[in-house]
Amino acid sequence: MRFARIAAFCAAPVITLAAPAFAQTPYDGNWQVTIVTKSGSCEPTASSLLTVADGKITAPGANVSGTIGSGGLVKVSINGAYANGQLSGNAGSGKWNGASAGIPCSGRWEASRQ
């Protein structure tokens, strides 16, 4: 009898829900990012517009590879510099490090949703 109940359960129709055409994360959209150099010979400040789509970070004309987790954790490489930090709501901040002419430099970054 037990086997018959299991078999009946397994034979029941399976209902699936269609996934949306693309997934969205809470941080998708355009972000204005400003970096500030604290040590080294990199530019003192720089600003860039980055786009987040499905948690992946892109920017026109830049070699960008990175992600933003559902909790806002940022991990990104931009033109050979590496950054990490945290987004929350419409803002975020973190640290970065890279090099200019082979000389290490580092600093902080801040971002705001546009």
Side-chain angles (χ1 to χ4, degrees):
M1 186 59 127
R2 182 173 180 209
F3 177 75
R5 278 187 261 166
I6 293 172
F9 176 76
C10 290
V14 176
I15 299 171
T16 59
L17 299 175
F22 60 93
Q24 290 186 329
T25 67
Y27 301 101
D28 284 1
N30 293 321
W31 291 81
Q32 186 67 40
V33 178
T34 301
I35 65 164
V36 177
T37 300
K38 292 295 189 180
S39 68
S41 60
C42 291
E43 291 289 323
T45 63
S47 188
S48 182
L49 184 66
L50 301 179
T51 300
V52 179
D54 192 22
K56 294 179 178 73
I57 304 167
T58 61
N63 182 13
V64 177
S65 173
T67 59
I68 299 178
S70 61
L73 182 65
V74 176
K75 294 181 181 181
V76 64
S77 168
I78 303 174
N79 294 330
Y82 299 93
N84 59 48
Q86 184 73 39
L87 296 179
S88 180
N90 292 322
S93 63
K95 297 180 181 182
W96 67 272
N97 61 65
S100 176
I103 300 171
C105 48
S106 62
R108 63 180 174 80
W109 62 265
E110 294 180 359
S112 60
R113 190 188 311 256
Q114 299 300 292

